[in-house]
Amino acid sequence: MLLCSALDGTAQSDVANLKQAVKYYKVEFDERRGENGDTLYYSSHRPLKWTDFKAEPRATSSYSAAAFTGFGYNGKIKLDNDTAIIALVLETYFIKPFSWVRKGAQTDYALAHEQLHFDITYLIVQRLKKRLMATTYDADFDSIIQYQYIQSYRDMNRLQEQYDNETRHGIIKTEQERWERQVIKWLQE
């Protein structure tokens, strides 16, 4: 998360003075890619593989697999004259040691279902980015960003649940195909 006290290493007592000097706010984005230990960051060039699913299947679950995905951000502030540049790094991630698949369930079809969960998480991050670009900022920019993040997290949970409900966790193939087409369309918007 972004903290106001992270203003270029400026002491907390100077933050109020800096905020008074700032007249304009600008947001810049970067996205984390690649892998870092047990975490895989989203890339359309690196789809999920069954070997990414490291956890033991949950004995109490009736599902054949589970992909643990999420998103977050971190950032810092750069000052350029009277403009505060809010530099955010967005992260869409898949946590390998929390994701699992049952033996015998490692089909291409099931992997495509789990991949779409990851794609949906990435879609929500892209929507968050659009929201943040359209937002007007002031000295309370940190709270504004956190609010949008929380709203996006709620949106992600609703959309993931809708996806699983409508496809019955991938069982209804026609619904699975419809969702695949719809997510591709949304990502292209």
Side-chain angles (χ1 to χ4, degrees):
M1 299 286 175
L2 186 68
L3 300 174
C4 291
S5 59
L7 286 170
D8 289 333
T10 305
Q12 186 69 30
S13 60
D14 294 334
V15 171
N17 292 337
L18 285 173
K19 285 184 175 182
Q20 289 176 354
V22 172
K23 294 181 184 174
Y24 306 101
Y25 295 85
K26 178 182 173 186
V27 176
E28 294 179 348
F29 297 95
D30 195 7
E31 291 182 20
R32 189 162 185 186
R33 301 277 188 211
E35 295 184 52
N36 183 8
D38 290 332
T39 304
L40 174 64
Y41 296 97
Y42 188 90
S43 171
S44 60
H45 303 293
R46 171 44 171 99
L48 295 176
K49 301 180 282 192
W50 282 126
T51 54
D52 295 324
F53 293 71
K54 303 287 188 191
E56 289 295 319
R58 292 198 179 145
T60 58
S61 176
S62 62
Y63 306 128
S64 57
F68 187 90
T69 67
F71 68 96
Y73 70 91
N74 61 62
K76 63 182 180 176
I77 305 302
K78 298 181 269 183
L79 294 176
D80 183 11
N81 296 318
D82 61 354
T83 302
I85 300 168
I86 307 163
L88 297 176
V89 178
L90 303 173
E91 301 175 341
T92 307
Y93 53 81
F94 172 91
I95 305 295
K96 294 177 182 184
F98 295 163
S99 302
W100 54 267
V101 60
R102 294 193 191 286
K103 289 189 187 309
Q106 298 175 342
T107 66
D108 290 344
Y109 180 80
L111 185 59
H113 177 82
E114 299 308 320
Q115 176 66 51
L116 204 61
H117 278 293
F118 202 14
D119 296 339
I120 289 169
T121 304
Y122 180 71
L123 168 68
I124 294 298
V125 170
Q126 295 311 299
R127 289 179 177 177
L128 170 61
K129 185 177 176 180
K130 286 179 183 177
R131 278 185 187 173
L132 292 173
M133 288 189 314
T135 298
T136 302
Y137 296 94
D138 58 27
D140 197 23
F141 61 86
D142 193 27
S143 295
I144 295 167
I145 293 168
Q146 287 181 32
Y147 175 79
Q148 293 296 343
Y149 170 79
I150 290 167
Q151 289 301 104
S152 294
Y153 213 88
R154 289 179 180 137
D155 292 346
M156 179 193 68
N157 287 335
R158 280 191 291 267
L159 196 58
Q160 297 282 15
E161 185 176 345
Q162 182 182 353
Y163 167 53
D164 271 337
N165 287 342
E166 291 180 8
T167 66
R168 287 197 49 226
H169 298 272
I171 293 172
I172 304 174
K173 290 185 179 188
T174 55
E175 283 299 301
Q176 181 68 34
E177 291 166 357
R178 183 182 68 80
W179 267 90
E180 289 170 2
R181 288 189 306 272
Q182 184 62 57
V183 170
I184 288 169
K185 181 181 172 188
W186 283 333
L187 284 169
Q188 292 172 344
E189 291 177 348

